[in-house]
Amino acid sequence: MTTRPLRSSEWFAGRDELALQNRSALRSMGFDADFYAGKPVIGIANSWSELNNCNLNLRDLAEAVKRGVIAAGGLPLEFPTISLGEEFMKPSAMLYRNLMAMDIEETIRSNPIDGVVLLCNCDKTTPAQLMGAASADLPTIQLNGGPRTVGNWRGQPVGSGTDMWKYWDDVRSGKMSREEWNELERCISCGVGACNVMGTASTMTSLSEALGVMLPGVSSLKANDARRLAAAEATGRRIVEMVHEDLRLSKIFTPAAFDNAIRTLSALGGSTNAVVHLIAMAGRRNIKLPLSRFDELAQQTPFLVNCSPSGKYLMDAFHAAGGVPAVLSELKSLLNLDCLTVTGQSIGENIAAARSHDTDVIKTVADPMAADGALAVVTGNLAPSGAVIKTSAASPHLMQHRGRAIVFNDYADMLARVNDPALPVDADSVLVLRNAGPKGVPGFPEWGMIPVPQKLLEQGITDIVRISDSRMSGTSYGTVVLHIAPEAAAGGLLGCVRDGDEIELDVEERRLHLHLDDAEIQQRRAEWQPLPTKHLRGYPRLYIDHVLQANEGCDFDFLRPESDSAVEFVPPTVGRS
Ligand code: FES
């Protein structure tokens, strides 16, 4: 038990008249001071929402967390946050990731909270919570809702998102009927929980575990598995101990821990979105993660996890094979094993007994899916600040490619023309989508997996080089270059590309180049005009004015500390005036 004064005591045991007022507020909720006096107050940040099907089991988990908190001698106080549901939010839940991070940080800052449990699941909820909590820097532990049950369609398991994209191409090429497509709808989502592939949600919760913010082995437990409730109770017990140990997030979020996360991302063949989120999370502790660090570590890290969309299995098989601890165990020789975690032990101690129980799902270092990374960073005159390609989900024959550009000026233009039989596209073309980045929409949506034009699908061509300043869903695949920075709307050269220009992608050489002479480039830059924006006020305006580029994590400039000293969380001044 700590002898340090609790942060919450500033509210409940401070100036007499204010303390009485605050205690009476708790009393109005039915808490007698005899019950909570001297106990840590544990905030439970709950992103449950009926607008977010992926997070619907978080209410049950919150109750189990509370049981654990009370059993360990804490006072649990649950609070709602905004929730970011990938399915419904348009143009993209990413637009609101920073808003959710602000919600988390400011709720923690302004309330009598000693430690916090973050309940997440759908893609952006995990990084948003960790960004806000990293700025608040209290003892923090995260718990996800878990992947949803795998459905079956005509005897085949169907993975969320990924199989939908695959079957949609079959519908467009005439291989699948409308009746079959409708039948698929009833089979693809069997219950609440996150997408059951290694998409962005499972990538981010795996990385939370690899960073040491989640209890070991928990992230991949299925949403409706009773062991998840037990894990929630253990999470509640552990956060009370963490408050007594003063085990703050700043002790866990270190440069070494982020290197571990980058290596884990590469071994997972995980979502490209994680690159943006890890940079943003690290940035909140003034830790710099240049894209070159991702490329460097990815090249030294084997790709191990045979899960969709980069492999064939789904999250239930990943969990049965040992989940994240088994992956970390395989990577042991490459990891910083001393990194502290929420267990109070190092990551090395946490995984001492872990191993892969199925080496076809979680491969060994001696027999990996690929010897080097699942991601690569390319640069060149088209992307001086970098762009990302998920090599594990791309076509090997397109990794070195030179072709003529077909340019879509924005998403609406792409939708209107991509399947037009008159589009002059062939297997060698390079499809370009622009004005789809952080400032350009705004919100950096997942539009980067431009559909393969129908006329190519009908010829049996299922992949083609596509480049954009947009993102793609973690459930997507193909030879798709993403996150081009600077984006077109910020004056990047992407905005000057014209139909017929020659573009070269060379993943081996890490190159993305527009073959134009300098004089032509200068002239086009002089002629370039940004698209007009409709967003003149409100949150989208704030976003456009302050969002950083993809290679900087797309956080708001004013949310990142300018120096180590600026990382400190401003303490509350308790009082009404
Ligand atoms: Fe929520 Fe995939 S849509 S996790």
Side-chain angles (χ1 to χ4, degrees):
M1 189 75 90
T2 183
T3 51
R4 283 176 302 100
L6 293 166
R7 180 174 182 265
S8 59
S9 66
E10 293 183 50
W11 277 261
F12 301 123
R15 273 168 53 197
D16 228 8
E17 74 284 17
L18 294 172
L20 181 140
Q21 200 166 36
N22 291 330
R23 288 195 302 269
S24 71
L26 277 184
R27 200 171 281 276
S28 74
M29 293 193 279
F31 293 114
D32 193 287
D34 288 346
F35 173 68
Y36 67 80
K39 293 180 177 174
V41 177
I42 304 300
I44 302 172
N46 196 343
S47 56
W48 174 94
S49 166
E50 286 184 339
L51 293 173
N52 185 353
N53 59 308
C54 309
N55 289 26
L56 270 187
N57 62 337
L58 296 185
R59 271 185 168 169
D60 293 342
L61 292 177
E63 292 308 312
V65 170
K66 287 179 193 171
R67 280 204 308 270
V69 170
I70 291 169
L75 172 65
L77 295 178
E78 182 183 351
F79 60 92
T81 69
I82 60 168
S83 191
L84 310 180
E86 207 62 28
E87 310 283 19
F88 292 161
M89 290 189 105
K90 301 292 178 244
S92 169
M94 182 66 176
L95 176 61
Y96 302 103
R97 185 200 63 181
N98 297 348
L99 184 65
M100 183 171 181
M102 291 167 76
D103 179 1
I104 296 283
E105 177 181 352
E106 298 306 326
T107 303
I108 296 171
R109 182 198 303 278
S110 56
N111 283 287
I113 291 172
D114 298 301
V116 63
V117 178
L118 306 170
L119 298 182
C120 64
N121 216 29
C122 197
D123 301 17
K124 309 299 178 295
T125 56
T126 305
Q129 290 181 339
L130 290 175
M131 289 163 66
S135 295
D137 196 27
L138 295 183
T140 302
I141 191 167
Q142 194 167 41
L143 175 70
N144 64 322
R148 70 184 69 126
T149 296
V150 175
N152 282 276
W153 182 65
R154 301 199 170 185
Q156 294 299 316
V158 276
S160 328
T162 305
D163 281 320
M164 194 269 291
W165 307 122
K166 191 178 81 186
Y167 287 122
W168 176 232
D169 280 351
D170 285 350
V171 171
R172 293 195 305 134
S173 62
K175 286 191 217 150
M176 186 173 179
S177 70
R178 276 282 160 189
E179 291 68 33
E180 290 172 317
W181 177 245
N182 293 339
E183 195 179 298
L184 178 70
E185 179 186 322
R186 293 191 286 275
C187 307
I188 201 163
S189 286
C190 291
V192 300
C195 292
N196 50 31
V197 297
M198 190 57 80
T200 304
S202 291
T203 300
M204 290 313 302
T205 52
S206 296
L207 297 185
S208 175
E209 196 180 316
L211 279 163
V213 195
M214 206 176 278
L215 290 177
V218 168
S219 63
S220 54
L221 264 171
K222 248 187 352 185
N224 62 355
D225 190 317
R227 290 172 293 179
R228 180 161 286 286
L229 291 169
E233 194 177 295
T235 298
R237 276 187 268 117
R238 183 61 200 142
I239 187 62
V240 176
E241 294 166 1
M242 287 173 66
V243 171
H244 293 309
E245 294 161 11
D246 197 27
L247 179 44
R248 291 164 186 266
L249 202 44
S250 53
K251 296 179 183 171
I252 294 172
F253 270 14
T254 61
F258 279 98
D259 275 359
N260 286 348
I262 294 170
R263 287 194 187 274
T264 307
L265 169 62
S266 195
L268 293 174
S271 167
T272 45
N273 291 325
V275 175
V276 180
H277 298 320
L278 285 174
I279 294 169
M281 286 154 52
R284 292 303 186 96
R285 299 305 312 166
N286 205 26
I287 297 168
K288 307 278 188 295
L289 292 186
L291 282 180
S292 56
R293 189 69 178 153
F294 287 82
D295 195 68
E296 182 188 346
L297 295 181
Q299 300 329 302
Q300 307 160 3
T301 307
F303 164 36
L304 298 176
V305 175
N306 190 6
C307 274
S308 179
S310 295
K312 67 175 178 183
Y313 294 103
L314 300 175
M315 289 304 292
D316 52 351
F318 177 69
H319 185 75
V324 173
V327 178
L328 298 178
S329 172
E330 272 305 315
L331 293 178
K332 206 178 273 183
S333 63
L334 297 169
L335 297 180
N336 303 296
L337 294 174
D338 294 336
C339 291
L340 189 58
T341 74
V342 289
T343 63
Q345 296 192 300
S346 69
I347 198 102
E349 289 169 310
N350 288 350
I351 61 169
R355 65 187 173 86
S356 173
H357 303 297
D358 184 338
T359 55
D360 195 40
V361 181
I362 299 175
K363 303 269 190 178
T364 62
V365 170
D367 179 28
M369 297 278 287
D372 57 5
L375 289 171
V377 174
V378 292
T379 56
N381 64 354
L382 262 182
S385 301
V388 173
I389 179 168
K390 186 174 181 174
T391 49
S392 60
S395 299
H397 73 280
L398 293 172
M399 295 298 203
Q400 278 183 306
H401 183 82
R402 203 162 157 153
R404 299 278 172 197
I406 292 179
V407 180
F408 300 110
N409 204 35
D410 60 20
Y411 187 58
D413 181 32
M414 186 275 287
L415 287 180
R417 295 195 295 126
V418 72
N419 289 322
D420 185 340
L423 192 74
V425 65
D426 61 29
D428 293 330
S429 301
V430 175
L431 301 186
V432 177
L433 172 64
R434 65 187 175 207
N435 295 307
K439 289 178 187 289
V441 179
F444 206 14
E446 294 179 333
W447 294 343
M449 194 183 83
I450 306 165
V452 175
Q454 185 150 347
K455 79 180 196 190
L456 295 187
L457 287 177
E458 287 165 0
Q459 295 165 28
I461 297 161
T462 55
D463 197 10
I464 178 173
V465 173
R466 291 156 271 178
I467 73 170
S468 77
D469 49 13
S470 196
R471 294 180 302 121
M472 76 172 180
S473 164
T475 62
S476 301
Y477 51 85
T479 309
V480 184
V481 177
L482 303 153
H483 309 182
I484 287 179
E487 63 180 306
L493 185 58
L494 191 69
C496 300
V497 180
R498 293 180 185 166
D499 283 343
D501 287 349
E502 199 167 43
I503 292 175
E504 182 187 356
L505 170 68
D506 188 335
V507 177
E508 182 72 28
E509 295 294 319
R510 301 292 189 268
R511 182 173 153 87
L512 182 65
H513 190 74
L514 176 65
H515 284 276
L516 276 186
D517 62 43
D518 287 348
E520 177 67 15
I521 288 176
Q522 292 308 327
Q523 184 173 340
R524 290 194 193 180
R525 281 196 186 282
E527 292 168 4
W528 176 79
Q529 292 285 332
L531 288 182
T533 179
K534 296 190 258 327
H535 298 284
L536 301 177
R537 58 166 296 282
Y539 180 77
R541 185 70 250 171
L542 176 89
Y543 191 94
I544 293 168
D545 289 346
H546 292 282
V547 70
L548 297 167
Q549 289 291 283
N551 61 304
E552 299 174 293
C554 296
D555 203 354
F556 291 150
D557 50 11
F558 61 86
L559 290 175
R560 295 182 86 164
E562 287 171 3
S563 64
D564 278 345
S565 60
V567 169
E568 295 309 314
F569 188 46
V570 178
T573 303
V574 177
R576 272 210 154 162
S577 58

